[in-house]
Amino acid sequence: MKKIWVIGIVVVSISGFTMCNKADVFPDAGYDERLSAGLATVFDETSKAFSHAVEGLSDRDMEVHELGDAAFEQTFVSAPAPVNSGLGPVFNNVSCISCHHNDGKGTPTAGFSTSSMLFRISIPGADEYGGPLAAIGYGGQLQDQAVFGKQPEVHVDINYNDKEINYPDGSSVVLRDPVYTITQSYLLLPAGHMLSPRMAPPVFGTGLLELIPESTILSFADENDKDGDGISGKPNYVYNAYTKETELGRFGLKANNPNLLVQVAGAYNQDMGITSYVFPQESSYGQAQSDAYKDDPELADSILNEVAFYVKTLAVPARRNVTDVTIKEGEQLFNQINCTGCHKQTMQTGVDVTIRQLSNQRIHPYTDLLLHDMGDGLADNRPDFLADGKEWRTTPLWGIGLFQKTNGIPYFLHDGRARTLEEAILWHGGEAEKSKNAFMQLTKTERDKIIKFLNSL
């Protein structure tokens, strides 16, 4: 009888240990390549591809998303007014949607209702938080429009010089090299002032980028290039005006904002001149254009929170034609010339107990959210916290193939100088110089394959 018990215990133990074996890693080939953002992916290839809420939001969350959507499109007017009051006195545009067309990119013009360009300004030195030092009489951004009775700070003319690039195979491309001219300044611009042109970026998928663990982003950093691949990657640490803490920068073209709330509140304040509980002081404070109204904060807390929630819960469009042989070959070439040194394909979001569609998702944003030296050609020569005058944050590439549908001419790079993906690649320099040169050494057929791959994202 004792022998039978012993045999039984051995059998049960073996079975138990077998059942407790650690599961194998799920193979990459088992994932659906179309799902750029896991559960937050939407299947739409139309001009409205960037404007969908992530599917499956609760009724309450969907209501907040729709309230934020409506507020995103609201046009503000000068104070005092019964609704949407507080525009200006100086500003760049009158609504969020005026710059972020169809929740995507803008257009590289200034001074019009459809313009999406702004110019940051500062003087040498740093403020008490390590950020750019405001220019006396202008603050941190040039506002080129004003409400009735007030004078815009400046007028900006944007022109381009042609710059021909020749491939080793004899073909060529003409790039646009921008020239910015500031005129009609209401006050003499301070000596040594530095300008940084920036075009409004797309806003979809930002809720997922906000959830990427800081440890993941820092794992990509190689500031001293210890691996010798010529690519460093540096995190930007910036001041959070709401928490009053220094935090990792994720948003903005130089990773100069820590989270979506501050990014959205900053846009209201600097782009439209509207105060909020995050930025309660007018952008024109202390200037001749400043008004005497005691109406700050001008933006209701609920509206700011709703708009931040709206952009947080915008879905990412799915990839197209992922089984196409040419696109797969283009992807291999993209990896081969090490574009993925900065444009990281895959990562996992952290846990968010409030929105399961954003939580713990396998996503393909093609960015590392780090700063990289992009060379003299793209330099603005203006520091922004830890970013120097040549460094820009790696642009996420998801959805990039749909910009032509959502925004017409798909202007690329921080100032929209590139009209095609090919032009954008040829502007890469600095840490990306090696990859750009490798791209130029490819045959035209191979270069076209990379472009086709990018257009599938």
Side-chain angles (χ1 to χ4, degrees):
M1 188 67 180
K2 183 178 180 182
K3 188 175 181 180
I4 293 174
W5 271 103
V6 171
I7 293 172
I9 291 171
V10 170
V11 170
V12 169
S13 298
I14 292 173
S15 301
F17 282 126
T18 302
M19 293 174 68
C20 290
N21 278 349
K22 186 177 179 182
D24 290 335
V25 175
F26 195 69
D28 284 350
Y31 289 94
D32 187 336
E33 293 181 63
R34 297 173 300 170
L35 301 181
S36 296
L39 288 175
T41 305
V42 63
F43 288 83
D44 184 358
E45 302 178 22
T46 72
S47 61
K48 300 299 181 184
F50 302 151
S51 300
H52 295 275
V54 297
E55 292 186 5
L57 290 179
S58 67
D59 290 346
R60 176 188 173 280
D61 286 347
M62 194 63 211
E63 182 180 359
V64 177
H65 177 93
E66 290 176 347
L67 287 169
D69 186 6
F72 195 82
E73 299 178 3
Q74 288 297 308
T75 296
F76 281 80
V77 297
S78 58
V83 293
N84 298 337
S85 178
L87 179 70
V90 288
F91 58 95
N92 296 109
N93 221 319
V94 297
S95 69
C96 303
I97 199 71
S98 295
C99 289
H100 303 277
H101 305 163
N102 283 337
D103 299 304
K105 287 176 169 290
T107 52
T109 63
F112 304 103
S113 60
T114 56
S115 295
S116 307
M117 284 287 288
L118 59 85
F119 290 79
R120 295 286 170 84
I121 183 171
S122 58
I123 57 176
D127 68 12
E128 60 186 306
Y129 308 114
L133 190 56
I136 295 174
Y138 289 94
Q141 183 167 311
L142 297 179
Q143 281 89 19
D144 55 359
Q145 298 194 62
V147 299
F148 179 76
K150 302 290 184 180
Q151 185 179 359
E153 292 179 338
V154 296
H155 175 80
V156 181
D157 288 320
I158 304 175
N159 294 288
Y160 298 93
N161 293 324
D162 287 346
K163 179 179 179 180
E164 185 170 321
I165 301 294
N166 297 304
Y167 286 102
D169 65 9
S171 57
S172 63
V173 173
V174 175
L175 305 182
R176 300 191 309 167
D177 195 0
V179 178
Y180 305 111
T181 306
I182 307 297
T183 63
Q184 303 174 32
S185 55
Y186 89 102
L187 191 70
L188 186 66
L189 288 163
H193 69 272
M194 299 171 286
L195 298 178
S196 180
R198 304 181 188 187
M199 189 180 73
V203 295
F204 64 87
T206 49
L208 294 153
L209 299 180
E210 191 172 45
L211 274 178
I212 296 171
E214 183 168 336
S215 59
T216 298
I217 298 170
L218 297 183
S219 73
F220 300 139
D222 183 18
E223 197 167 342
N224 298 313
D225 193 23
K226 290 181 179 177
D227 63 8
D229 67 351
I231 296 174
S232 57
K234 183 174 82 178
N236 200 1
Y237 282 95
V238 303
Y239 181 69
N240 183 326
Y242 182 59
T243 64
K244 314 299 183 191
E245 300 286 342
T246 297
E247 300 172 6
L248 177 69
R250 295 169 183 263
F251 300 106
L253 294 164
K254 282 185 176 269
N256 48 299
N257 271 313
N259 57 37
L260 288 175
L261 176 67
V262 176
Q263 175 79 9
V264 171
Y268 270 112
N269 185 247
Q270 290 296 314
D271 301 350
M272 292 186 271
I274 298 169
T275 55
S276 66
Y277 69 87
V278 177
F279 293 104
Q281 189 175 82
E282 289 277 10
S283 61
S284 59
Y285 177 77
Q287 297 180 200
Q289 298 95 333
S290 184
D291 63 37
Y293 300 125
K294 305 297 183 184
D295 58 353
D296 302 312
E298 296 158 323
L299 189 68
D301 297 359
S302 58
I303 293 178
L304 175 60
N305 294 337
E306 287 159 4
V307 172
F309 187 82
Y310 168 68
V311 297
K312 178 177 182 176
T313 49
L314 282 173
V316 178
R319 283 191 61 193
R320 286 81 53 205
N321 307 315
V322 294
T323 59
D324 183 289
V325 173
T326 304
I327 287 175
K328 285 193 166 297
E329 291 173 352
E331 182 177 12
Q332 290 173 358
L333 289 165
F334 184 81
N335 296 334
Q336 179 184 310
I337 64 175
N338 200 28
C339 300
T340 48
C342 302
H343 293 285
K344 303 293 185 186
Q345 181 195 33
T346 303
M347 53 195 78
Q348 200 85 11
T349 62
V351 173
D352 182 338
V353 297
T354 61
I355 306 175
R356 68 177 180 84
Q357 295 87 346
L358 305 181
S359 178
N360 196 30
Q361 296 300 302
R362 177 184 164 92
I363 64 174
H364 308 295
Y366 288 88
T367 178
D368 58 8
L369 297 181
L370 294 174
L371 300 169
H372 294 274
D373 181 340
M374 294 300 292
D376 293 335
L378 293 178
D380 65 355
N381 300 309
R382 175 184 179 271
D384 199 334
F385 291 97
L386 299 184
D388 68 27
K390 294 183 181 180
E391 291 176 324
W392 298 94
R393 187 199 68 162
T394 306
T395 300
L397 299 183
W398 53 13
I400 200 168
L402 290 171
F403 285 136
Q404 191 163 8
K405 285 187 177 178
T406 58
N407 297 92
I409 298 175
Y411 299 104
F412 299 108
L413 298 176
H414 67 277
D415 54 7
R417 69 178 68 186
R419 296 157 294 187
T420 66
L421 288 168
E422 183 180 25
E423 289 183 24
I425 293 170
L426 294 175
W427 271 110
H428 280 53
E431 296 175 35
E433 182 80 20
K434 191 174 177 181
S435 293
K436 180 194 71 178
N437 290 339
F439 175 79
M440 294 183 69
Q441 292 296 327
L442 298 174
T443 65
K444 185 175 188 312
T445 300
E446 291 172 326
R447 297 197 298 269
D448 289 345
K449 288 178 179 177
I450 289 181
I451 301 299
K452 192 169 182 179
F453 160 67
L454 292 172
N455 277 320
S456 78
L457 298 180

